[in-house]
Amino acid sequence: MNSLVDYESSSDEERTTNKRRLAEEESAVERKLPKLSSFFYKEEIIMDSQGKIRTVRHKENSWATHIYCTVDLSSERHRWKDIPSDIHEIEEQHISLSRCVFLKEHQLEPFSRAIETSLRNMSRFKISFAQLSQLTNDEATRSFLTLEIGQGYNQLSACQTRIDRVMEQYNLPVFYKPPRFHTSIAWALKASTIDKYISQLPSDTLDDLVNHTFWITRLYIKMGNRVHTIRLS
């Protein structure tokens, strides 16, 4: 009897030892497993509708898409000189006509065709700027020094309305209501920083600029790393 009890006890100890050894081996294998390839975990640089370049988690077959026109203000930068260090200039200016939305790859070509078709009879037009403003993004994480559109607002609105119709067909969010068409020239973390800077600018900062017109002859659809150009008639 005693030997039988001793035998069972010895067997239990062996099973326990074997389980412990197996667990240690599995743990060692897990530690040696390589990290997932970057194919499964990527980040993507996108331009949001306020003009800020930002990094977002990229999902496979998800293309950040944004519709806009550009305006060259390189000769106007002297108007907002002496920008403090907590305000950061934006190098290239654009005017958003859509929110940033996400498409699947198979949607890219039909979507761009639908946008181009919707804008088929739009003629090129001129814009000018009416005022400096402070605008804050949806997440309230950044505020922007912006130039709001004066002349050309109705034409931009007509483009945006046609684009919104296509967005609705794809069950995507439409543009802001009412739209405040603008281009962003700088950003800061706090709205008060932008407000203070605007209040300190000379009153004649925009006197000449409001009389300066810019031609809008093209719209752009940026889809991930692809850019489709739409030429206005």
Side-chain angles (χ1 to χ4, degrees), residues 61 76 86 103 116 119 128-129 131 161 176 186 212 220 225:
N61 196 23
E76 308 297 332
D86 51 354
L103 298 173
E116 186 161 15
L119 297 167
S128 64
F129 297 103
Q131 62 181 2
T161 298
Y176 305 95
H212 190 164
Y220 301 93
N225 58 358

Side-chain angles (χ1 to χ4, degrees), residues 8 17 76 98 100 111-112 128 131 159 186 194 196 223 225:
E8 289 179 348
T17 300
E76 308 297 332
S98 79
C100 180
F111 177 83
S112 60
S128 64
Q131 62 181 2
C159 291
I194 300 293
K196 180 180 178 180
M223 301 168 287
N225 58 358

Side-chain angles (χ1 to χ4, degrees), residues 60-222:
E60 287 304 316
N61 196 23
S62 181
W63 296 68
T65 300
H66 177 221
I67 303 168
Y68 60 95
C69 56
T70 60
V71 58
D72 183 5
L73 294 179
S74 56
S75 63
E76 308 297 332
R77 292 188 179 278
H78 65 279
R79 299 180 186 278
W80 38 88
K81 58 185 177 181
D82 301 325
I83 291 181
S85 59
D86 51 354
I87 296 180
H88 311 277
E89 284 195 70
I90 297 172
E91 293 300 321
E92 297 180 356
Q93 277 63 53
H94 74 276
I95 301 166
S96 289
L97 295 170
S98 79
R99 296 177 187 255
C100 180
V101 298
F102 292 87
L103 298 173
K104 302 296 184 184
E105 186 171 12
H106 72 274
Q107 296 176 310
L108 300 183
E109 187 174 341
F111 177 83
S112 60
R113 281 202 309 267
I115 293 293
E116 186 161 15
T117 298
S118 73
L119 297 167
R120 179 177 295 160
N121 298 320
M122 288 298 300
S123 300
R124 60 185 62 192
F125 55 93
K126 292 180 179 180
I127 64 165
S128 64
F129 297 103
Q131 62 181 2
L132 276 169
S133 300
Q134 177 272 122
L135 296 176
T136 300
N137 63 3
D138 292 342
E139 299 82 10
T141 56
R142 286 183 174 85
S143 292
F144 296 85
L145 175 62
T146 71
L147 286 166
E148 293 202 61
I149 295 296
Q151 178 184 348
Y153 182 96
N154 290 339
Q155 290 90 336
L156 289 170
S157 183
C159 291
Q160 172 252 313
T161 298
R162 297 182 184 201
I163 291 167
D164 275 355
R165 293 192 190 118
V166 177
M167 293 292 186
E168 289 173 339
Q169 293 171 14
Y170 281 78
N171 295 315
L172 296 170
V174 298
F175 203 51
Y176 305 95
K177 305 290 186 184
R180 293 180 67 176
F181 298 114
H182 65 276
T183 190
S184 298
I185 56 181
W187 66 272
L189 294 176
K190 296 180 179 179
S192 58
T193 303
I194 300 293
D195 288 333
K196 180 180 178 180
Y197 177 72
I198 292 175
S199 69
Q200 293 174 344
L201 286 172
S203 58
D204 61 350
T205 298
L206 290 184
D207 284 356
D208 293 334
L209 184 57
V210 295
N211 296 316
H212 190 164
T213 58
F214 303 83
W215 276 103
I216 301 299
T217 62
R218 294 175 175 84
L219 304 184
Y220 301 93
I221 310 173
K222 182 171 175 59

